[in-house]
Coordinates of all heavy atoms in Angstrom, one line a residue:
R13 N 145.2 -69.5 86.8 CA 145.7 -69.3 88.2 C 145.9 -70.7 88.9 O 146.9 -70.9 89.5 CB 144.8 -68.5 89.0 CG 145.3 -68.2 90.4 CD 144.1 -67.6 91.2 NE 143.0 -68.5 91.3 CZ 142.9 -69.5 92.1 NH1 144.0 -69.8 92.9 NH2 141.9 -70.3 92.2
V14 N 144.9 -71.6 88.8 CA 144.9 -72.9 89.4 C 146.0 -73.7 88.8 O 146.8 -74.4 89.5 CB 143.6 -73.7 89.3 CG1 143.7 -75.0 90.0 CG2 142.5 -72.8 89.9
V15 N 146.2 -73.7 87.5 CA 147.2 -74.5 86.8 C 148.6 -74.1 87.1 O 149.6 -74.9 87.2 CB 146.9 -74.5 85.3 CG1 148.1 -75.0 84.5 CG2 145.7 -75.3 84.9
G16 N 148.8 -72.7 87.2 CA 150.2 -72.3 87.6 C 151.2 -72.6 86.4 O 151.0 -72.3 85.3
D17 N 152.3 -73.2 86.9 CA 153.4 -73.5 86.0 C 153.2 -74.8 85.3 O 154.0 -75.2 84.5 CB 154.7 -73.6 86.7 CG 155.0 -72.2 87.3 OD1 154.7 -71.2 86.7 OD2 155.7 -72.1 88.3
C18 N 152.1 -75.5 85.5 CA 152.0 -76.8 84.8 C 151.7 -76.6 83.3 O 151.0 -75.6 82.9 CB 150.8 -77.6 85.4 SG 150.9 -78.1 87.1
R19 N 152.2 -77.5 82.5 CA 152.0 -77.4 81.1 C 151.4 -78.6 80.5 O 151.7 -79.7 81.0 CB 153.3 -77.0 80.3 CG 153.9 -75.7 80.7 CD 153.0 -74.5 80.2 NE 153.6 -73.2 80.6 CZ 153.2 -72.5 81.7 NH1 152.2 -73.0 82.5 NH2 153.8 -71.4 82.0
F20 N 150.6 -78.5 79.5 CA 149.8 -79.7 78.9 C 150.0 -79.8 77.5 O 150.0 -78.7 76.7 CB 148.3 -79.5 79.3 CG 148.0 -79.6 80.8 CD1 148.0 -78.4 81.5 CD2 147.8 -80.7 81.5 CE1 147.7 -78.3 82.8 CE2 147.6 -80.6 82.8 CZ 147.5 -79.4 83.5
V21 N 150.0 -80.9 77.0 CA 150.0 -81.2 75.5 C 149.0 -82.3 75.2 O 148.6 -83.1 76.0 CB 151.4 -81.6 75.0 CG1 152.4 -80.6 75.1 CG2 151.8 -83.0 75.6
S22 N 148.4 -82.1 74.0 CA 147.6 -83.3 73.4 C 148.5 -84.0 72.5 O 149.1 -83.4 71.7 CB 146.3 -82.7 72.7 OG 146.7 -81.9 71.6
A23 N 148.5 -85.3 72.7 CA 149.4 -86.1 71.9 C 148.8 -87.4 71.5 O 147.8 -88.0 72.2 CB 150.7 -86.5 72.7
T24 N 149.1 -87.8 70.2 CA 148.6 -89.1 69.7 C 149.7 -90.1 69.7 O 150.8 -89.8 69.2 CB 148.1 -88.9 68.2 OG1 147.0 -87.9 68.3 CG2 147.5 -90.2 67.7
F25 N 149.4 -91.3 70.2 CA 150.4 -92.4 70.4 C 149.8 -93.6 69.7 O 148.6 -93.9 69.7 CB 150.7 -92.7 71.9 CG 151.6 -91.7 72.5 CD1 151.2 -90.6 73.3 CD2 153.1 -91.8 72.4 CE1 152.1 -89.8 73.9 CE2 154.0 -91.0 73.0 CZ 153.4 -89.9 73.7
R26 N 150.7 -94.5 69.4 CA 150.4 -95.9 69.0 C 151.1 -96.8 70.0 O 152.3 -96.7 70.3 CB 151.0 -96.2 67.6 CG 150.7 -95.1 66.5 CD 151.2 -95.6 65.2 NE 150.4 -96.5 64.6 CZ 150.1 -96.5 63.2 NH1 150.7 -95.7 62.5 NH2 149.3 -97.4 62.7
L27 N 150.3 -97.8 70.5 CA 150.8 -98.8 71.4 C 150.5 -100.2 70.8 O 149.3 -100.5 70.6 CB 150.1 -98.7 72.7 CG 150.6 -97.6 73.8 CD1 149.8 -97.8 75.0 CD2 152.1 -97.8 73.9
F28 N 151.5 -100.9 70.4 CA 151.3 -102.2 69.7 C 151.3 -103.4 70.7 O 152.2 -103.4 71.6 CB 152.3 -102.4 68.6 CG 152.1 -101.5 67.4 CD1 152.6 -100.3 67.3 CD2 151.3 -102.0 66.3 CE1 152.4 -99.5 66.2 CE2 151.0 -101.3 65.3 CZ 151.6 -100.0 65.2
K29 N 150.6 -104.4 70.4 CA 150.5 -105.6 71.2 C 151.1 -106.7 70.3 O 150.4 -107.2 69.3 CB 149.1 -106.0 71.7 CG 149.0 -107.4 72.4 CD 147.6 -107.8 72.7 CE 147.5 -109.1 73.3 NZ 146.1 -109.5 73.7
L30 N 152.4 -107.1 70.5 CA 153.1 -108.0 69.7 C 153.5 -109.2 70.5 O 153.7 -109.1 71.7 CB 154.3 -107.4 69.0 CG 154.0 -106.2 68.1 CD1 155.3 -105.8 67.4 CD2 153.0 -106.6 66.9
P31 N 153.6 -110.4 69.8 CA 154.1 -111.6 70.5 C 155.5 -111.4 71.1 O 156.3 -110.6 70.5 CB 154.1 -112.7 69.5 CG 153.2 -112.2 68.5 CD 153.3 -110.7 68.4
K32 N 155.8 -112.0 72.3 CA 157.1 -112.0 72.8 C 158.0 -112.9 72.1 O 157.9 -114.0 72.2 CB 157.0 -112.3 74.3 CG 156.1 -111.4 75.1 CD 156.5 -109.9 75.1 CE 155.6 -109.2 76.0 NZ 154.2 -109.0 75.6
T33 N 158.9 -112.3 71.3 CA 159.8 -113.1 70.5 C 161.3 -112.8 70.8 O 162.2 -113.2 69.9 CB 159.6 -112.8 69.0 OG1 159.7 -111.4 68.7 CG2 158.1 -113.2 68.6
G34 N 161.6 -112.3 71.9 CA 163.0 -112.0 72.2 C 163.4 -110.6 71.7 O 162.6 -109.8 71.2
P35 N 164.6 -110.2 71.9 CA 165.1 -108.9 71.5 C 164.8 -108.6 70.0 O 165.1 -109.5 69.2 CB 166.6 -108.9 71.8 CG 166.7 -110.0 72.8 CD 165.7 -111.0 72.5
A36 N 164.3 -107.5 69.7 CA 164.1 -107.1 68.3 C 165.4 -106.7 67.6 O 166.4 -106.2 68.2 CB 163.2 -105.8 68.3
K37 N 165.4 -107.0 66.3 CA 166.5 -106.7 65.5 C 166.2 -105.5 64.6 O 165.0 -105.3 64.2 CB 167.0 -107.9 64.7 CG 167.4 -109.1 65.5 CD 167.8 -110.2 64.5 CE 168.2 -111.5 65.4 NZ 168.6 -112.5 64.5
R38 N 167.2 -104.7 64.4 CA 166.9 -103.6 63.4 C 166.8 -104.2 62.1 O 167.4 -105.1 61.6 CB 168.2 -102.7 63.4 CG 168.4 -101.9 64.7 CD 169.7 -101.2 64.7 NE 169.8 -100.0 63.7 CZ 169.3 -98.8 64.0 NH1 168.8 -98.5 65.2 NH2 169.4 -97.9 63.0
C39 N 165.9 -103.4 61.3 CA 165.6 -103.9 59.9 C 165.2 -102.8 59.0 O 164.9 -101.7 59.4 CB 164.4 -105.0 60.0 SG 162.9 -104.3 60.5
Q40 N 165.3 -103.1 57.7 CA 165.0 -102.2 56.7 C 163.6 -102.6 56.2 O 163.4 -103.8 56.1 CB 165.9 -102.0 55.5 CG 167.3 -101.3 56.0 CD 168.2 -101.1 54.8 OE1 168.6 -102.1 54.2 NE2 168.5 -99.8 54.6
V41 N 162.8 -101.6 55.8 CA 161.4 -101.9 55.4 C 161.2 -101.3 54.0 O 161.5 -100.1 53.8 CB 160.3 -101.4 56.4 CG1 159.0 -101.5 55.9 CG2 160.6 -102.0 57.7
I42 N 160.6 -102.0 53.1 CA 160.2 -101.5 51.8 C 158.7 -101.2 51.8 O 157.9 -102.2 52.2 CB 160.5 -102.5 50.7 CG1 162.0 -102.8 50.6 CG2 160.0 -102.0 49.3 CD1 162.4 -103.9 49.6
Y43 N 158.3 -100.0 51.5 CA 156.9 -99.7 51.4 C 156.5 -99.8 49.9 O 156.9 -99.1 49.1 CB 156.6 -98.3 51.9 CG 155.2 -97.9 51.7 CD1 154.1 -98.7 52.2 CD2 154.9 -96.6 51.2 CE1 152.8 -98.4 52.0 CE2 153.5 -96.2 51.0 CZ 152.5 -97.1 51.5 OH 151.2 -96.7 51.4
N44 N 155.6 -100.8 49.7 CA 155.2 -101.1 48.4 C 154.0 -100.3 48.0 O 153.4 -100.5 46.8 CB 154.8 -102.7 48.3 CG 156.0 -103.5 48.4 OD1 157.1 -103.2 47.9 ND2 155.8 -104.6 49.2
G45 N 153.5 -99.4 48.8 CA 152.3 -98.6 48.3 C 151.1 -99.3 48.5 O 150.9 -100.4 49.0
G46 N 150.0 -98.7 47.9 CA 148.8 -99.4 47.8 C 147.8 -99.1 48.9 O 146.6 -99.6 49.0
I47 N 148.2 -98.3 49.9 CA 147.3 -98.0 51.0 C 146.5 -96.7 50.7 O 147.2 -95.7 50.4 CB 148.1 -97.8 52.4 CG1 148.8 -99.1 52.7 CG2 147.2 -97.3 53.5 CD1 149.7 -99.0 54.0
T48 N 145.2 -96.8 50.7 CA 144.4 -95.6 50.4 C 144.8 -94.4 51.2 O 144.8 -94.5 52.5 CB 142.9 -95.9 50.6 OG1 142.5 -97.1 49.8 CG2 142.0 -94.8 50.3
G49 N 145.0 -93.3 50.6 CA 145.4 -92.0 51.3 C 146.8 -91.9 51.6 O 147.2 -90.9 52.1
H50 N 147.6 -92.9 51.3 CA 149.0 -93.0 51.6 C 149.8 -93.5 50.4 O 150.7 -94.3 50.4 CB 149.3 -93.8 52.8 CG 148.5 -93.4 54.0 ND1 148.8 -92.4 54.9 CD2 147.3 -93.9 54.5 CE1 148.0 -92.3 55.9 NE2 147.1 -93.2 55.7
E51 N 149.3 -93.1 49.2 CA 149.9 -93.5 48.0 C 151.4 -93.3 47.8 O 152.2 -94.1 47.3 CB 149.1 -93.0 46.7 CG 147.7 -93.6 46.6 CD 146.7 -93.0 47.5 OE1 147.1 -92.0 48.3 OE2 145.6 -93.6 47.6
K52 N 151.9 -92.1 48.3 CA 153.2 -91.6 48.1 C 154.1 -91.9 49.2 O 155.4 -92.1 49.2 CB 153.3 -90.2 47.8 CG 152.6 -89.8 46.3 CD 152.8 -88.4 46.0 CE 152.3 -88.1 44.7 NZ 152.4 -86.7 44.3
E53 N 153.5 -91.9 50.5 CA 154.3 -92.1 51.7 C 153.4 -92.6 52.8 O 152.2 -92.2 52.9 CB 155.1 -90.9 52.1 CG 154.3 -89.7 52.4 CD 155.1 -88.5 52.9 OE1 156.3 -88.4 52.4 OE2 154.6 -87.7 53.5
L54 N 153.9 -93.3 53.8 CA 153.2 -93.8 54.9 C 153.8 -93.1 56.2 O 155.0 -93.5 56.4 CB 153.1 -95.2 55.1 CG 152.5 -95.9 56.4 CD1 151.0 -95.4 56.4 CD2 152.6 -97.4 56.3
I55 N 153.2 -92.2 56.8 CA 153.7 -91.6 58.0 C 153.3 -92.5 59.2 O 152.2 -92.5 59.7 CB 153.1 -90.2 58.2 CG1 153.5 -89.4 57.1 CG2 153.8 -89.6 59.5 CD1 152.9 -88.0 57.1
F56 N 154.3 -93.3 59.6 CA 154.1 -94.3 60.6 C 154.0 -93.6 62.1 O 153.1 -93.9 62.9 CB 155.2 -95.3 60.6 CG 155.1 -96.4 61.7 CD1 154.0 -97.4 61.6 CD2 155.9 -96.4 62.8 CE1 153.9 -98.4 62.5 CE2 155.8 -97.4 63.8 CZ 154.8 -98.4 63.7
D57 N 154.9 -92.7 62.3 CA 154.8 -91.9 63.5 C 155.7 -90.7 63.3 O 156.0 -90.4 62.1 CB 155.4 -92.8 64.7 CG 156.8 -93.2 64.6 OD1 157.6 -92.6 63.8 OD2 157.1 -94.1 65.3

């Protein structure tokens, strides 16, 4: 009753602290494997 029409979600986010190097460029990434628990794929987000 108190909440009414408000809706809530629990969400997991990643916030990175990177050096300021100017505008980022699009790039392709090769995953070479080797990370424990992520042998076949790495779910980044």
Side-chain angles (χ1 to χ4, degrees):
R13 180 194 61 78
V14 178
V15 167
D17 294 330
C18 294
R19 296 293 178 266
F20 300 89
V21 297
S22 62
T24 301
F25 282 97
R26 313 181 79 145
L27 286 180
F28 287 88
K29 176 183 177 180
L30 298 181
K32 303 297 186 292
T33 57
K37 297 180 180 179
R38 293 171 67 90
C39 62
Q40 287 185 303
V41 176
I42 300 172
Y43 177 46
N44 292 323
I47 298 177
T48 302
H50 306 273
E51 288 78 10
K52 294 183 178 180
E53 63 180 22
L54 173 62
I55 302 175
F56 180 71
D57 61 19

